[in-house]
Amino acid sequence: MLDGRRKNEICAQIKTLASSYTPEWNFSLEKPDTGSVLAGIFAEQLETSIQEYNALPARYEEELVRMLGVTPKRPEPARAVIVLEPSAGMQEGIQVPKGSRFYAERAERDTPVIFESSHDLYVTDARITAAFAISADEKTVVPLCTEEGVVTYPMSLFCFKPHIPYTNELHIRHPWLFRGELSEFSVCFGSKAAAGRLMDEDEFAFSFLTSGGRVPVKKKRQNGASIDICQGADSDTLVIERKTVREDEIFLPSVYFTAGRQSAALDYIYDGEQEITGDAAAVFGEELSLYKECYIGFDSGLIQEGTDISLEFGLEFKVREVRENAPKEEELKLVKRRPDPRLEERTADVYIQEVSFSYYNGHGFRRLPVSRRCSDLFSGADNTGRRAIEFSCPDDWTEMEQEGCRGYMIRLQIMKADYCYHRPGRHHYPYLTNMRAVYSQREKELWPAQAVRVQGKKETDVTGYIQRRKPLPAFLKFPYRGESMLFGFDRKPAGGPISLYFIIRKNINFSGIQAVFEYSSPKGFQPLKVLNNTEDLKNSGTVLFVPPSNMAEMDIEGKTRYWIRLTSRRPADVRTVLPIAEHIYMNGTEVLNIERSQPKEQYVEQIAPDMVFPAPASQLLDVRIESRERGRLVRWSETDSFDSTASGDRYYVVDRSGQRVVFGDGRSGRIPRNTEGPAFTMEIQSCDGAEGNVPENAIDSAAFPLPNVERIFNPLKASGGSDLEEPDSVKRRGRVLMGTGGRLVTEQDYV
């Protein structure tokens, strides 16, 4: 305030001055004379002038700020991204054009907050059902989805921890060769160098794949171009694992087996009365009789034409006393005589003098040709010890069923056992222990039934190379390049643009990652044009793209999908802060809190300079003005000032604080001159300012029907909405500009 005097203070000063200059005049407002009345009028007018004078600094400040070009900041519409979640089983996509309107209800106001979409969107039911983080430097592939196709969040982008070693294996399958713990066989790789490299235990490991897990191969040795393996397992798959992923590739000249011995437990033992479990049994029971039989079953997976089988067992004899039935107690005499040795019957020692061997051929039993005489194998105690029954698989050997068990069986039948029915008798029945079946193959070369190369989760059948006698590409280099994020869609979107909405966790230490976008095609990955609104994945936003016509399925780690790949332009070091995606939504569209009025015709009755027209709005954003001149529409432009405009320039000034439009005076800026019809049409764009910053899930409806959309929501709150800047704020910015503009900071600035 420059002068704080009021009327009373001015009158008091007049009275003081009057007593000095004109003591004869008595100045009084209670009993005024003509001079006192004039003095009172002067005091009132001076008070008004002082008030105007005190307002000069503010007016000067406003004018100085205006001269510096500092104008009130315009209101800003709130921004948000909404997600349109399609209904289950949606048959086809929906095109949502730019400018579509959506509503958010607020409890504190009667009318909804209006938003409109800022770009076109194609709502698709395609979903991300597979995702991987792949690093060529770390040689790892990190899955980011469950086996059911559910993406796990939060997701650290371009993060390759936990480190998952990349699988690089060759699976070689054979139906029977590896079965049995005592199996012996060789794997021939076609060259001594290939076999020698595979024997390097620092780089390769051998194992059998069983139902209970992997059984490491510990007994192996190199034999020229082959590796001899002296152990087996209940498995049909031999796994050769390359422990490290290297840049070289290994081709094996050939892969085939030569068989040794395969030892396995018996599948079935039947002693004529019941099935026996374990590897020890009295195969004919404890009491011998003619034509009594037993059945022994073998592993069906090892029965092959030309296979030699040896039934090995330990043989011992046990004794059972067989007598007549004891007389009933009531028939016993009270007085017994001493037995007469001459009348006592002698006890017979019973052995099996002859046994027959037979097999089932589909029609009946035929004699089994054994390699050497075995019919008297159980005829005496001299035969105890480790014994074997050897034979070759008959060509017509057929599976049979015995007591509910089906398989390949041989039958042993007692053909001769002297005195077996004599009573009393001492039956020496054979008891077989540690029974095993040993299989051996007479063929020189046994070809694998299948060979599968496993890289990561991808399995490739390479059996054709073996069958065609071509070098087998057994171990390849890491198949991916760069540091990449891959997202796989379960189907190809039928239209575009498609939107991926990345919700990025805020982190002030993250400066963004520049990434190249690519898509899967029949010729591999190709560049994809995208509109990336995430500022290099620094902020939440949408990534828009139109699916190319040649976008095709591709197998990545066993997942056949339509892929989008993001590859970092530069690898991240240990100090790099990586972006974290809280979620990635399909069908996200950016919306702005903008409301557009219908074009309204404005009329001019009399042409005059500096015409003013009202533009009512909550927070005035823009005004669009068009006039019809000579039968065509002409667009007018907004300007901040008419100072630099000519008489014919079609400009107008928007006073947002006064919510009005001002035209020029004819010398600076053209005057609308049509008085016979509408002078021009006015379309007003407005927003709700700070009220447009609605919370999450507030935007939940559309101004038009969306029959195949299940839900509309905004995962994050709207932000960025602001009102027109207040005058005090404008002045503060002007003071800062005048105080520091164009100068270095000095000590006086701090004072």
Side-chain angles (χ1 to χ4, degrees):
M1 182 179 294
L2 300 177
D3 192 342
R5 291 178 296 170
R6 309 293 291 181
K7 178 181 176 181
N8 293 336
E9 296 171 339
I10 296 172
C11 291
Q13 285 184 303
I14 293 174
K15 187 173 182 180
T16 301
L17 292 172
S19 62
S20 299
Y21 288 93
T22 56
E24 67 276 9
W25 175 43
N26 183 21
F27 171 71
S28 174
L29 293 179
E30 291 78 12
K31 296 179 180 181
D33 55 7
T34 303
S36 298
V37 172
L38 292 174
I41 296 173
F42 170 77
E44 290 181 0
Q45 293 179 342
L46 182 57
E47 181 183 35
T48 303
S49 298
I50 290 174
Q51 291 176 354
E52 292 292 327
Y53 177 59
N54 286 333
L56 282 178
R59 290 170 57 188
Y60 288 161
E61 186 176 17
E62 290 178 2
E63 187 61 29
L64 283 171
V65 169
R66 190 178 299 109
M67 290 172 63
L68 291 170
V70 180
T71 58
K73 291 183 179 179
R74 298 185 179 188
E76 290 293 334
R79 297 171 178 267
V81 176
I82 63 172
V83 175
L84 282 69
E85 191 174 281
S87 304
M90 183 174 70
Q91 297 299 319
E92 58 184 15
I94 303 172
Q95 196 75 42
V96 179
K98 176 182 178 180
S100 299
R101 302 178 74 182
F102 299 89
Y103 299 138
E105 301 290 342
R106 299 203 70 165
E108 59 271 15
R109 52 185 284 170
D110 297 332
T111 58
V113 180
I114 298 176
F115 290 83
E116 70 172 31
S117 59
S118 60
H119 57 80
D120 294 334
L121 173 68
Y122 183 81
V123 180
T124 177
D125 62 342
R127 298 182 302 115
I128 297 176
T129 57
F132 295 99
I134 299 179
S135 172
D137 292 341
E138 300 289 338
K139 299 294 188 297
T140 185
V141 176
V142 181
L144 304 174
C145 275
T146 64
E147 289 297 328
E148 294 75 22
V150 179
V151 184
T152 55
Y153 295 107
M155 178 192 300
S156 185
L157 304 179
F158 298 99
C159 177
F160 309 105
K161 296 179 181 179
H163 182 274
I164 301 176
Y166 190 68
T167 304
N168 202 358
E169 299 175 345
L170 180 65
H171 292 203
I172 310 172
R173 296 190 175 99
H174 195 279
W176 54 268
L177 183 61
F178 318 134
R179 297 187 182 276
E181 297 178 0
L182 302 179
S183 299
E184 297 177 5
F185 62 93
S186 299
V187 192
C188 183
F189 298 105
S191 75
K192 186 176 181 180
R197 182 163 185 181
L198 294 176
M199 283 293 295
D200 184 356
E201 294 186 354
D202 293 333
E203 187 177 0
F204 294 94
F206 286 66
S207 61
F208 294 108
L209 187 61
T210 68
S211 58
R214 297 196 177 191
V215 178
V217 173
K218 299 180 180 179
K219 300 178 181 179
K220 67 178 188 295
R221 62 178 179 271
Q222 184 179 356
N223 183 10
S226 301
I227 294 178
D228 297 337
I229 297 178
C230 302
Q231 72 179 84
D234 186 16
S235 170
D236 62 357
T237 303
L238 175 67
V239 178
I240 305 176
E241 175 191 1
R242 193 177 191 183
K243 298 179 180 179
T244 58
V245 180
R246 301 187 180 183
E247 292 301 321
D248 64 328
E249 299 183 341
I250 298 179
F251 286 75
L252 301 177
S254 63
V255 176
Y256 64 87
F257 300 103
T258 56
R261 293 161 52 91
Q262 292 79 44
S263 176
L266 296 175
D267 266 12
Y268 180 74
I269 304 173
Y270 180 72
D271 67 355
E273 295 181 358
Q274 61 182 352
E275 181 180 353
I276 304 298
T277 58
D279 62 352
V283 292
F284 293 107
E286 297 181 358
E287 188 172 339
L288 305 178
S289 62
L290 286 177
Y291 308 114
K292 198 170 187 179
E293 57 189 23
C294 74
Y295 292 87
I296 298 175
F298 298 88
D299 190 335
S300 299
L302 299 176
I303 301 301
Q304 301 289 328
E305 182 179 348
T307 300
D308 291 334
I309 300 178
S310 176
L311 175 60
E312 298 181 352
F313 52 87
L315 175 61
E316 60 183 77
F317 291 92
K318 294 188 176 183
V319 177
R320 177 182 175 83
E321 298 286 344
V322 180
R323 298 182 179 277
E324 292 288 356
N325 293 333
K328 295 180 181 180
E329 184 146 354
E330 59 271 15
E331 296 178 356
L332 294 177
K333 296 181 179 180
L334 296 176
V335 179
K336 292 185 178 180
R337 295 181 180 181
R338 184 188 300 271
D340 186 352
R342 294 175 299 176
L343 300 177
E344 184 178 358
E345 189 173 7
R346 298 180 59 185
T347 301
D349 287 310
V350 181
Y351 286 90
I352 301 175
Q353 277 79 31
E354 184 179 347
V355 64
S356 67
F357 304 90
S358 58
Y359 69 94
Y360 184 69
N361 68 352
H363 303 285
F365 284 93
R366 296 191 62 187
R367 184 180 66 86
L368 178 69
V370 294
S371 60
R372 57 178 175 267
R373 180 178 175 82
C374 296
S375 60
D376 58 351
L377 183 63
F378 307 124
S379 61
D382 294 339
N383 293 329
T384 58
R386 194 68 182 170
R387 293 289 180 263
I389 300 172
E390 299 175 353
F391 61 93
S392 296
C393 290
D395 298 344
D396 57 348
W397 196 3
T398 306
E399 289 185 321
M400 63 171 290
E401 187 169 343
Q402 174 67 28
E403 294 294 328
C405 181
R406 186 172 183 81
Y408 290 94
M409 302 182 190
I410 63 172
R411 183 182 69 177
L412 281 65
Q413 190 175 34
I414 300 175
M415 304 304 296
K416 183 178 180 181
D418 293 345
Y419 307 111
C420 63
Y421 298 115
H422 185 80
R423 298 293 185 272
R426 187 178 295 107
H427 288 216
H428 300 267
Y429 61 90
Y431 188 80
L432 280 55
T433 61
N434 194 20
M435 290 186 286
R436 307 286 294 175
V438 179
Y439 307 83
S440 59
Q441 179 61 245
R442 291 196 303 266
E443 295 180 10
K444 293 183 178 180
E445 296 179 356
L446 298 175
W447 296 96
Q450 188 183 31
V452 177
R453 182 180 63 226
V454 180
Q455 286 184 284
K457 297 294 184 179
K458 182 179 181 181
E459 297 184 359
T460 305
D461 194 321
V462 292
T463 312
Y465 291 92
I466 299 176
Q467 295 173 344
R468 295 191 298 270
R469 309 296 192 266
K470 291 185 176 182
L472 173 66
F475 303 98
L476 304 182
K477 60 184 179 182
F478 193 72
Y480 306 106
R481 60 177 177 82
E483 315 292 292
S484 303
M485 299 292 301
L486 287 94
F487 302 98
F489 302 97
D490 58 350
R491 65 192 65 188
K492 179 182 178 181
I498 301 301
S499 172
L500 291 177
Y501 178 28
F502 286 79
I503 296 183
I504 304 298
R505 181 182 298 176
K506 285 291 185 181
N507 190 333
I508 61 174
N509 297 318
F510 175 59
S511 59
I513 287 184
Q514 294 183 351
V516 176
F517 287 78
E518 297 169 298
Y519 70 96
S520 59
S521 74
K523 297 182 180 180
F525 281 98
Q526 295 187 3
L528 177 66
K529 295 181 180 180
V530 302
L531 179 61
N532 188 355
N533 297 315
T534 65
E535 298 182 60
D536 294 331
L537 299 175
K538 185 168 63 176
N539 296 318
S540 299
T542 57
V543 175
L544 302 173
F545 65 93
V546 176
S549 58
N550 65 336
M551 189 177 187
E553 288 183 312
M554 182 183 293
D555 186 284
I556 301 291
E557 296 300 306
K559 305 290 186 181
T560 303
R561 301 288 190 275
Y562 295 88
W563 295 95
I564 296 294
R565 181 169 71 179
L566 284 69
T567 303
S568 175
R569 291 183 182 270
R570 62 179 64 179
D573 57 32
V574 294
R575 294 172 297 178
T576 301
V577 178
L578 298 173
I580 296 177
E582 297 285 2
H583 209 288
I584 301 175
Y585 289 101
M586 294 291 298
N587 307 317
T589 179
E590 186 182 62
V591 292
L592 300 176
N593 170 221
I594 294 179
E595 185 174 2
R596 304 175 191 272
S597 70
Q598 293 297 324
K600 183 179 180 181
E601 296 178 342
Q602 300 287 344
Y603 293 87
V604 175
E605 295 181 357
Q606 185 177 357
I607 298 174
D610 303 324
M611 288 191 296
V612 178
F613 293 85
S618 174
Q619 293 289 331
L620 184 59
L621 292 175
D622 293 299
V623 177
R624 179 188 177 98
I625 292 179
E626 292 180 341
S627 64
R628 183 170 295 277
E629 301 177 11
R630 297 179 182 179
R632 62 187 181 91
L633 290 176
V634 179
R635 175 77 181 273
W636 291 53
S637 302
E638 180 184 350
T639 184
D640 294 333
S641 172
F642 293 112
D643 294 343
S644 59
T645 60
S647 60
D649 293 341
R650 297 177 178 85
Y651 286 104
Y652 57 91
V653 173
V654 178
D655 180 5
R656 288 176 172 79
S657 58
Q659 296 189 349
R660 60 181 187 165
V661 176
V662 181
F663 288 93
D665 57 6
R667 294 188 302 272
S668 298
R670 188 181 182 123
I671 302 175
R673 296 184 174 275
N674 187 6
T675 58
E676 297 179 357
F680 57 89
T681 59
M682 178 189 298
E683 179 184 328
I684 299 174
Q685 296 182 15
S686 63
C687 69
D688 293 285
E691 287 190 8
N693 299 324
V694 298
E696 61 270 13
N697 299 317
I699 309 174
D700 57 2
S701 60
F704 54 96
L706 289 171
N708 290 324
V709 173
E710 182 74 19
R711 179 187 175 203
I712 300 173
F713 64 100
N714 55 308
L716 300 179
K717 65 172 294 186
S719 61
S722 61
D723 297 337
L724 181 70
E725 188 177 16
E726 297 292 337
D728 289 343
S729 176
V730 179
K731 292 179 182 179
R732 283 195 298 271
R733 288 197 295 117
R735 295 189 196 111
V736 172
L737 183 61
M738 287 187 289
T740 61
R743 298 190 296 109
L744 294 176
V745 178
T746 65
E747 182 180 356
Q748 186 61 32
D749 291 315
Y750 289 99
V751 174

